[in-house]
Amino acid sequence: MKNLGNMLKQAQQMQSRMAEMQAKLDATTVDGAAGAGMVTVTLTGKGDLKRVSIDPSLMVADEREVLEDLLVAAHADAKQKVEAMMAEEMQKATAGLNLPGGLPGGFKLPF
């Protein structure tokens, strides 16, 4: 029974750390850029789009496709940074917990 008690204690610790991590991610923003900074997007740590900034020189009808591509690239850059930040926070949240079998590779959170 001592082992079960330890597992429950670890589960409570992890739940607490996960709640802290979610709050931190929601309060954090990450910028992604493309076109040498001509297009930037800002995402929250949870991946919600908060802001888009476009250099006025790209506001030309003939440059529409370039602008569309730069928006996609800036978003992808920001998303990659958010995923790296989430992985780092997840590692911190589970540090020191003796989880049976550990976390499987590619484990994704539902947020």
Side-chain angles (χ1 to χ4, degrees), residues 41-90:
V41 299
T42 302
L43 302 180
T44 67
K46 289 187 174 184
D48 297 327
L49 180 64
K50 289 295 184 182
R51 185 175 52 241
V52 175
S53 176
I54 302 169
D55 187 284
S57 67
L58 292 173
M59 300 291 194
V60 179
D62 294 343
E63 299 294 322
R64 179 178 168 201
E65 287 183 25
V66 172
L67 177 57
E68 291 169 348
D69 291 343
L70 289 174
L71 280 166
V72 170
H75 183 270
D77 181 47
K79 185 176 178 188
Q80 182 274 327
K81 290 175 182 176
V82 165
E83 289 173 354
M85 184 178 63
M86 284 180 67
E88 183 179 323
E89 290 299 319
M90 179 62 135

Side-chain angles (χ1 to χ4, degrees), residues 21-38:
M21 181 183 77
Q22 285 181 328
K24 183 177 179 180
L25 289 174
D26 198 35
T28 303
T29 59
V30 175
D31 292 327
M38 294 180 78

